[in-house]
Each structure stands twice: as structure tokens, then as C-alpha cells.
Amino acid sequence: MPELPEVETVVRDLKPRLTGRRISGLKVLLPKLLRQKPAEFNRIIGHKILGLSRRGKLILIHLSGDLTLIVHLKLTGRLVHGKNQPDHTHVIFEFDNGSRLFYADLRQFGFLDLVPTSRLKTHQALASLGPEPFDISEEEFLSILSRSRRKIKALLLDQNLIAGLGNIYTDEALFRAGIHPERPANTLTAEEARRLLEAIRQVLKEAISARGSSVRNYVDGQGRAGSFQSRHQVYHQQGKPCPRCGTPIVRKIVAGRGTHFCPYCQPFKHPLPSLD
Ligand SMILES: [Zn+2]
């Protein structure tokens, strides 16, 4: 699933291409991907794109007339601006300059939701989201961890606690921080939690610079693959030597997800929760 770096890359690509454009036409080939009836969704036509932003893994396209289009790519969604229609295109937006934006989705788990901008913050897709990894304070992060006995991996995947992380970047961040994915969150020391937050930010930053990871079929806003997959240290590296110590990387199901880690660099220590 596209995670924060991939969604951020798509938003950064599309922003200069779409901002200021007026939607002149709409073709809906698969209505079930829309959260509204096509007739209602049609009111997007004629509105101008004021800008784009990201919240967690959501793409937000801000329009004139108090409208925002929320796009969730889920597992295999692609939002591509260009000349050539990608395979599995289900929705096509046409613009006043003749260009087109395609929403394609092989597995069809994604969705498009047209909502009033004035009610965006309280909309269910956004209201429940936790803070962004780049915005959360150290204290806030520590406090989220200290309140939960859940496995740290499960906690990091929970969009309601911290938004934007998925399977790839939780595995990579936990490896960088040297923390076992099954450690109960409240057993991390303050020092470990700080190291983890720093690792999360660092890996996300590097992945954004590399235009995301193309596993499955992710492409950026212009239909190009990202390159961070070649720099994954543990994700899908099971059996290969750990880049730090040479121990083979292990894959285990944690929190219902295939989880990759180094058993030597990420030992399962279980100290008592610190009292300070
Ligand atoms: Zn190692």
C-alpha cells in the first residue's frame, strides 16, 4: 500500500500540474469507487483546483465552491496526470487545458470522496487520524507509547494514533532504531522511543527524496516508479544478511502483517516500564 512517502510524492508531483486548472469533464467508468452517486459527484465539473495536500495516506484536492476531493489509493490505486491512459483506469478528470488526470486501481479498494471543505476536519476519514510523524512532539509520542501494551509494530500501524505509516516504513524504522517489532509499546524506554521517532522521520525523509518505494505497482503522479525499494534494509529481505551484523533477516507475522527484522540487532528485551 502506498504509505506517507508515496502519497507525498504524488501530491508534490500533481500540485504544480493541477493547481489553477478547471475541471471541464468527468468520466466515471466504475461508479463503486465513488463515495457519492455519479450524478452527485458530477458537481465537481466547473470547479477550479486551488491546491493539493496530504493527510496521513490521504490525498486532498482542494477545489473552489467549498469542495475537497479526498482520494485514498489503498492497495493499488494510482493517480496519474498525463497523456496516456493507464491500465485499470476507472475515473478520468478532464481539464480546461486539455490535460487529463486518471484514477486507476487494479484491486479496486481505493475510493474518491467529494466533501465540503468547511466540514473536512470533522469528516470521518480525517477526524480519527492521529498526528503526522513530522508534527508530533517527542512528549506526545512518548505518551502514546506509554499508554499502550500493544506490540510496537501494531501501534505504529494504527492510523488513529500516528498517521501515514504502513508495513514498509514501520519495519525499516524499527530496524534503524534497533527495536523488536513485538515489544509492548509501554516497555520502550524514553531513550528508545526518542530513537524510534527519529528513525521514523529519517526513513520517511529519505524515502520522499527517493520518490517512494515501488513494491506492487506504485507509481508517482506522472506514472514513474519510485526508487527507495532498492534501499530497504529489512523489508522483504528475509534470508539475506543484515546490513549491520550479517545475521539473516527474519520474517514473522506480527499484528497480522509480514514483519521483517534482524533478531540480533533488534533483540526482544522486555525491561519493566521505566518509572521516570
Ligand atoms: Zn543485524
Side-chain angles (χ1 to χ4, degrees), residues 2-18 52 59 61 71 73 77-86 89 93 95 99-104 208 210-214 217-227:
E3 304 178 30
L4 187 155
E6 290 76 36
V7 177
E8 180 67 26
T9 301
V10 171
V11 166
R12 289 185 187 186
D13 276 351
L14 295 179
K15 208 178 204 169
R17 294 168 155 249
L18 299 186
L52 281 84
I59 298 168
I61 304 181
V71 182
L73 303 174
R78 296 169 154 195
L79 200 56
V80 179
H81 184 254
K83 288 198 176 69
N84 304 321
Q85 181 172 329
T89 290
F93 299 91
F95 298 105
S99 69
R100 294 190 294 170
L101 176 70
F102 304 98
Y103 181 77
I208 291 169
R211 309 187 55 75
S213 299
S214 282
N217 66 345
Y218 159 77
V219 292
D220 66 21
Q222 297 166 69
R224 304 169 307 187
S227 70

Side-chain angles (χ1 to χ4, degrees), residues 22 36 43-44 46-50 61-70 113-123:
R22 198 174 289 280
Q36 284 75 31
R43 66 196 170 109
I44 200 170
H47 287 289
K48 196 172 176 178
I49 296 183
L50 306 176
I61 304 181
H62 308 286
L63 298 146
S64 59
D66 190 37
L67 288 175
T68 295
L69 176 63
I70 303 174
D113 195 357
L114 192 60
V115 306
T117 307
S118 49
R119 279 187 268 147
L120 190 61
K121 280 200 175 126
T122 55
H123 187 267

Side-chain angles (χ1 to χ4, degrees), residues 242 244-245 262 265:
C242 164
R244 207 177 287 152
C245 74
C262 171
C265 296

Side-chain angles (χ1 to χ4, degrees), residues 45 47 74 88 94 108 163 171 190 227 230 239 248 257 265 274-275:
I45 296 170
H47 287 289
K74 290 281 179 165
H88 312 289
E94 297 164 341
Q108 306 176 2
D171 281 4
S227 70
S230 67
R257 310 291 300 274
C265 296
S274 59
L275 296 170

Side-chain angles (χ1 to χ4, degrees), residues 26-38 41 69-79 87-93 102-114:
L26 174 73
K27 282 190 189 122
V28 179
L29 308 171
L30 191 65
K32 74 161 186 180
L33 297 182
L34 308 180
R35 286 280 158 95
Q36 284 75 31
K37 295 210 162 61
F41 197 84
L69 176 63
I70 303 174
V71 182
H72 198 322
L73 303 174
K74 290 281 179 165
L75 210 54
T76 56
R78 296 169 154 195
L79 200 56
D87 290 344
H88 312 289
T89 290
H90 305 305
V91 183
I92 306 170
F93 299 91
F102 304 98
Y103 181 77
D105 196 340
L106 174 67
R107 302 283 297 274
Q108 306 176 2
F109 291 130
F111 66 81
L112 294 87
D113 195 357
L114 192 60

